Amino acid sequence: MNRTIIQTEQLTKRFGEKIAVDGLDLRVEAGSILGFLGANGAGKTTTIRMLMGHLHPTGGTVEVLGSDPWQQNQSQRQKTAYVSENMDIPGYLTPAAAIKLNRRFYPDWDQALAEKLLEEFELRSVGAYRSLSKGQKRKTCILLALCQNAELLIMDEPASGLDVTARRTFIRQVLEIACNEGTAVFLSSHLLSDLERTVDRVTLLDEGRLILNGHLEDFKVGIRKIHFDVPVSLEQIAEQFKVIRYKKASEVETVVTVLDYDEQRFDAFAAEHSGTENARCYPMNLEDMFVELTRKSEAKVQLP
Amino acid sequence: MNKSILQIELRKILPFYITALVVIISYVLFWPKPLMAGDGIIATAGFLQGFIITWIVFRDAPAVECFLFSRGITRQRLFWNRWWLVAVLMILMLIIAAAVISAGLRCLIFVNGPWHPMVKWYELNILWPLGLASVAGVSVRLFLLLRDRFLKPDKMLSTIRRVWKYILLVAAVGSAVLLGRVIPHMEIAIDYLLIASFYVAGLLILSTATARSCFLNMEIHT
């Protein structure tokens, strides 16, 4: 088993009456890229801020690289790289000057990579940070994080505002970093197509609660939308599968989304219920899964 | 001191510091009357200088605060880096003021004045109000850092929560007593200045300790 990089137990954060994060149990191992998903206000950024030691948890525990982020010493802090959507470097610094300034914080700084990314992101001859476009600012912050040679890379909406080329460079670089078995990447983004190409594990939050956590490939195999051309009751389908969403589309049509689709079990189900053998079964990409799992509707009947 | 932090802080503070330096040293150089320990103008300037320097050094734009507080440096180190920078800037101001007086530059300017060409060493007493007021300004700003953070929904150390108002009370009452007793006698009794020094030192220690705890525990909401 790989080393645990992030571990939270019953992590909770309240802002007054509002519960932003509700009893989150999370474990991220070295060598993995975790996609941290959720709708706006689901508690992703609050969780990340607690991982970074920017917010105090109201309850539960959080450990990053084996210690409480509020108690980490300098060398432990140097092993975490962080990019947030709202982060800015001092406005008078050019990207090259920011590299020079930032590298002094990190003994393992990768200057060769910094030079390479300066070229690829076309940041070498741009002006001061305050005069850059939103995309160039994001590129600068990403560059500073990627070159730290950190053991943990935490990124909160890093790619918002990036053009396609820069996003590809970013994804390639994240994948290269994750090839290092000692490193974990914790990536929160609404760009699900990018995440799908990058992450191997997915965690989904909804209203502060964890509703899905596991390997992306397992979910791709297991989560299916099934169209029945005959009426099927929720009880019937729930005997065989974990039902995420159940909807009677019409008198004769039923649409069900299940979490744990399996061909053999479906055959068994079809054998028991006549007329269901012609059901159409659709695989789902990450975006479909996200919508299906977080869509607010009474038809949502069960979450794992 | 971390070079990067020093670079960031100096960039923030130098425009104001140089302005303050020019203003205070100009006063020391060009004030036509003898400089005395009870100089209210220099005390006010010193207080404002300490207050504003501390405010600029310890304040960050929210997005930059997020950047700084996620670097590979502990909050403890960041706090002390900033504290020492403020201290060094205060001390530098005193040294320059002392050098200007000791070098006899005032004698050159007031060459036709009644005291030419003597250096009047008693004028060094102006360092008292300048230094003490600067430290008081730093202390007040550090207290306000604490108060500002209390107004936010942060989790603070419960001990600070309990004692901070008493510390402020002591500071306020002490300041009033000090002003009432010391200023009228400043030019004639050095003992009062020593009392004031102890008082301001105590104020600085308390404000530093509480501000440090606040700094180590404050939440970053950006």
Side-chain angles (χ1 to χ4, degrees):
Chain A
M1 195 165 64
N2 283 340
R3 189 165 67 103
T4 301
I5 300 285
I6 295 174
Q7 179 140 26
T8 71
E9 282 176 13
Q10 288 301 301
L11 185 64
T12 303
K13 180 67 180 177
R14 287 171 182 270
F15 294 107
E17 292 298 305
K18 186 183 183 320
I19 302 178
V21 178
D22 189 3
L24 180 64
D25 291 324
L26 197 61
R27 190 159 175 272
V28 182
E29 292 176 353
S32 67
I33 307 180
L34 179 90
F36 197 53
L37 312 181
N40 293 330
K44 304 187 298 296
T45 298
T46 302
T47 304
I48 287 173
R49 287 176 184 163
M50 286 191 280
L51 296 177
M52 284 305 300
H54 288 183
L55 295 181
H56 290 282
T58 312
T61 59
V62 53
E63 277 193 5
V64 175
L65 295 163
S67 59
D68 179 346
W70 283 89
Q71 307 297 331
Q72 285 183 337
N73 60 29
Q74 183 141 316
S75 66
Q76 287 170 317
R77 289 183 62 81
Q78 286 164 346
K79 291 174 184 164
T80 305
Y82 177 52
V83 179
S84 123
E85 192 180 14
N86 302 319
M87 177 190 284
D88 276 332
I89 62 173
Y92 55 86
L93 291 170
T94 63
I99 288 172
K100 203 173 165 187
L101 179 135
N102 203 56
R103 65 191 287 189
R104 294 199 203 106
F105 289 112
Y106 302 99
D108 297 330
W109 179 263
D110 187 341
Q111 185 59 24
L113 178 61
E115 297 293 335
K116 184 179 141 200
L117 289 179
L118 260 185
E119 293 296 335
E120 290 194 19
F121 284 151
E122 297 174 348
L123 291 172
R124 190 173 289 285
S125 53
V126 297
Y129 183 82
R130 68 164 71 89
S131 68
L132 303 183
S133 69
K134 186 187 174 194
Q136 288 172 318
K137 287 179 177 174
R138 288 298 90 223
K139 287 177 190 174
T140 307
C141 291
I142 288 170
L143 184 156
L144 296 180
L146 293 176
C147 298
Q148 287 177 25
N149 256 334
E151 289 181 20
L152 172 62
L153 192 54
I154 297 181
M155 306 185 119
D156 188 7
E157 292 294 346
S160 63
L162 291 192
D163 56 52
V164 179
T165 314
R167 268 165 46 202
R168 285 192 177 176
T169 305
F170 164 66
I171 289 170
R172 189 196 68 223
Q173 210 56 54
V174 167
L175 289 172
E176 276 181 25
I177 285 171
C179 285
N180 178 356
E181 286 186 359
T183 306
V185 180
F186 191 96
L187 189 54
S188 166
S189 175
H190 289 297
L191 296 168
L192 299 183
S193 56
D194 284 356
L195 279 186
E196 194 163 3
R197 290 152 58 195
T198 318
V199 305
D200 55 2
R201 292 182 66 87
V202 171
T203 294
L204 178 59
L205 285 191
D206 189 33
E207 294 177 346
R209 278 176 287 116
L210 182 72
I211 59 170
L212 196 71
N213 187 26
H215 288 277
L216 178 59
E217 285 309 314
D218 293 344
F219 294 131
K220 278 186 169 177
V221 171
I223 298 182
R224 294 290 168 104
K225 184 176 267 189
I226 308 170
H227 282 248
F228 295 100
D229 291 326
V230 292
V232 178
S233 72
L234 174 61
E235 290 72 25
Q236 286 172 331
I237 193 90
E239 282 174 14
Q240 281 290 346
F241 300 106
K242 286 182 180 169
V243 181
I244 296 169
R245 194 173 291 275
Y246 173 86
K247 188 180 179 188
K248 276 196 159 184
S250 68
E251 284 298 313
V252 292
E253 197 180 356
T254 312
V255 182
V256 183
T257 307
V258 299
L259 181 72
D260 53 348
Y261 177 83
D262 173 85
E263 209 163 296
Q264 286 182 338
R265 272 195 290 145
F266 184 77
D267 289 344
F269 177 80
E272 276 181 36
H273 304 90
S274 61
T276 59
E277 63 275 8
N278 295 325
R280 299 179 302 283
C281 199
Y282 300 104
M284 301 176 88
N285 62 22
L286 186 58
E287 189 168 314
D288 294 333
M289 287 181 215
F290 178 83
V291 171
E292 204 67 8
L293 287 159
T294 58
R295 191 168 48 175
K296 298 288 174 279
S297 154
E298 288 179 8
K300 184 161 73 180
V301 292
Q302 182 182 344
L303 280 170
Chain B
M1 185 171 274
N2 182 294
K3 273 187 185 173
S4 294
I5 295 298
L6 184 63
Q7 182 185 334
I8 292 171
E9 303 306 341
L10 281 179
R11 176 79 190 212
K12 279 198 297 188
I13 194 62
L14 275 184
F16 172 77
Y17 186 70
I18 290 168
T19 309
L21 191 69
V22 168
V23 169
I24 290 174
I25 297 305
S26 297
Y27 178 84
V28 170
L29 262 178
F30 297 111
W31 187 249
K33 294 178 185 169
L35 301 170
M36 298 292 191
D39 193 321
I41 295 172
I42 206 74
T44 308
F47 182 89
L48 288 176
Q49 177 215 198
F51 186 93
I52 295 172
I53 286 176
T54 310
W55 181 67
I56 293 172
V57 168
F58 277 89
R59 177 186 163 274
D60 301 296
V64 176
E65 185 175 65
C66 174
F67 171 77
L68 272 180
F69 280 73
S70 55
R71 295 306 92 192
I73 182 169
T74 59
R75 289 187 182 211
Q76 176 100 297
R77 230 180 133 194
L78 182 58
F79 177 84
W80 286 117
N81 273 219
R82 290 177 164 186
W83 193 93
W84 277 110
L85 177 63
V86 171
V88 166
L89 292 175
M90 305 282 102
I91 291 167
L92 190 63
M93 183 75 82
L94 290 175
I95 290 172
I96 294 172
V100 161
I101 295 168
S102 307
L105 296 180
R106 279 173 59 79
C107 302
L108 294 176
I109 291 167
F110 299 106
V111 69
N112 295 321
W115 299 290
H116 172 77
M118 291 164 60
V119 172
K120 292 157 288 294
W121 297 107
Y122 66 84
E123 288 196 322
L124 285 174
N125 280 338
I126 199 170
L127 300 180
W128 286 101
L130 179 60
L132 293 177
S134 298
V135 175
V138 172
S139 300
V140 169
R141 183 55 229 169
L142 288 176
F143 274 129
L144 290 179
L145 172 76
L146 182 69
R147 196 213 59 176
D148 291 348
R149 286 293 170 175
F150 267 111
L151 296 179
K152 293 187 178 178
D154 292 357
K155 179 187 175 188
M156 297 297 300
L157 287 180
S158 57
T159 44
I160 300 173
R161 201 184 285 278
R162 284 201 299 272
V163 301
W164 77 278
K165 59 187 100 170
Y166 301 109
I167 294 171
L168 278 179
L169 186 68
V170 169
V173 173
S175 300
V177 172
L178 197 71
L179 286 173
R181 296 208 52 192
V182 173
I183 287 180
H185 305 284
M186 256 183 163
E187 288 168 30
I188 54 170
I190 202 74
D191 293 352
Y192 287 108
L193 291 173
L194 288 174
I195 293 167
S197 302
F198 281 118
Y199 172 76
V200 170
L203 195 66
L204 182 65
I205 290 167
L206 283 173
S207 62
T208 299
T210 46
R212 179 188 151 277
S213 294
C214 159
F215 196 81
L216 297 189
N217 288 283
M218 69 187 184
E219 294 194 326
I220 310 295
H221 291 267
T222 312

